[in-house]
Amino acid sequence: MGTPLDGGSRVPIGCPAKLRRVTRKKVAPDLKGWLSLAKARYAMGAKSVGPLQYASHMEPQVCLHASEAQEGLQKFKVVRAGVHAPEEVGPREAGLRRRKGPTKTPEPESSEAPQDPLNWFGILVPHSLRQAQASFRDGLQLAADIASLQNRIDWGRSQLRGLQEKLKQLEPGAA
């Protein structure tokens, strides 16, 4: 790796073009999602697909996590709610296990996986409603990708400004 002034630094040059491609991709799922939702409202009736069918208590199906990537950049990632890290398989204690011990009744977990919101509209929902849900999920993932790319572009611009200022200071005759 060379010095920052000879082009050896890692400034993301292709990020604006990639951001434009991803932004164009984002418009398609959003439009497709709204059109599929309109088809579902037409098929089931306007009163069957609307805010009156929403649950009284809603829980998110996905969460947005921000993590620190290389050089202090924030990277956004969409994670399904209720998904935990896999547990280790095998004995937890070193030594022998007691096969028959005091019998305990398993306690039901209070935090189950979030319920599918499509069930709010009935058991047999139209395929267009499922398509709308999938399109909006894709839109969320693309929004997280766009936010990550925007952070990377901002970081690259600040690096470029810093390098330009260093170059101005090193130029002879700059007083």
Side-chain angles (χ1 to χ4, degrees):
M1 187 167 155
T3 63
L5 296 177
D6 67 358
S9 68
R10 294 182 292 169
V11 177
I13 300 297
C15 279
K18 188 174 182 182
L19 181 64
R20 280 192 294 270
R21 281 194 312 267
V22 171
T23 320
R24 279 190 219 122
K25 285 182 185 177
K26 180 170 179 358
V27 173
D30 282 348
L31 183 61
K32 186 178 177 185
W34 288 111
L35 289 174
S36 296
L37 192 59
K39 285 180 188 177
R41 285 187 68 146
Y42 180 75
M44 294 180 69
K47 292 184 179 178
S48 296
V49 179
L52 294 176
Q53 283 73 36
Y54 296 166
S56 59
H57 178 70
M58 294 188 219
E59 292 183 16
Q61 284 192 323
V62 293
C63 298
L64 184 69
H65 287 280
S67 61
E68 290 290 324
Q70 61 186 2
E71 292 131 4
L73 289 173
Q74 274 191 333
K75 186 171 184 173
F76 297 101
K77 185 177 179 183
V78 176
V79 179
R80 290 183 58 95
V83 175
H84 302 289
E87 297 178 10
E88 293 182 14
V89 178
R92 296 173 195 237
E93 300 174 6
L96 298 176
R97 293 186 301 167
R98 178 175 277 174
R99 291 187 179 219
K100 293 184 180 179
T103 58
K104 296 180 182 176
T105 59
E107 298 176 11
E109 294 182 14
S110 61
S111 62
E112 298 175 1
Q115 182 187 8
D116 189 12
L118 291 180
N119 293 337
W120 300 340
F121 304 102
I123 296 171
L124 297 173
V125 295
H127 185 64
S128 57
L129 197 57
R130 294 186 192 283
Q131 286 177 337
Q133 183 184 33
S135 295
F136 288 125
R137 279 187 187 151
D138 292 345
L140 283 173
Q141 182 61 47
L142 284 172
D145 292 344
I146 288 172
S148 296
L149 282 171
Q150 189 63 47
N151 278 348
R152 195 168 167 199
I153 289 171
D154 292 342
W155 175 82
R157 285 182 180 165
S158 66
Q159 292 289 94
L160 184 62
R161 282 189 205 113
L163 292 174
Q164 286 174 342
E165 288 175 8
K166 283 183 183 179
L167 184 62
K168 285 181 183 178
Q169 291 173 356
L170 292 176
E171 284 181 353

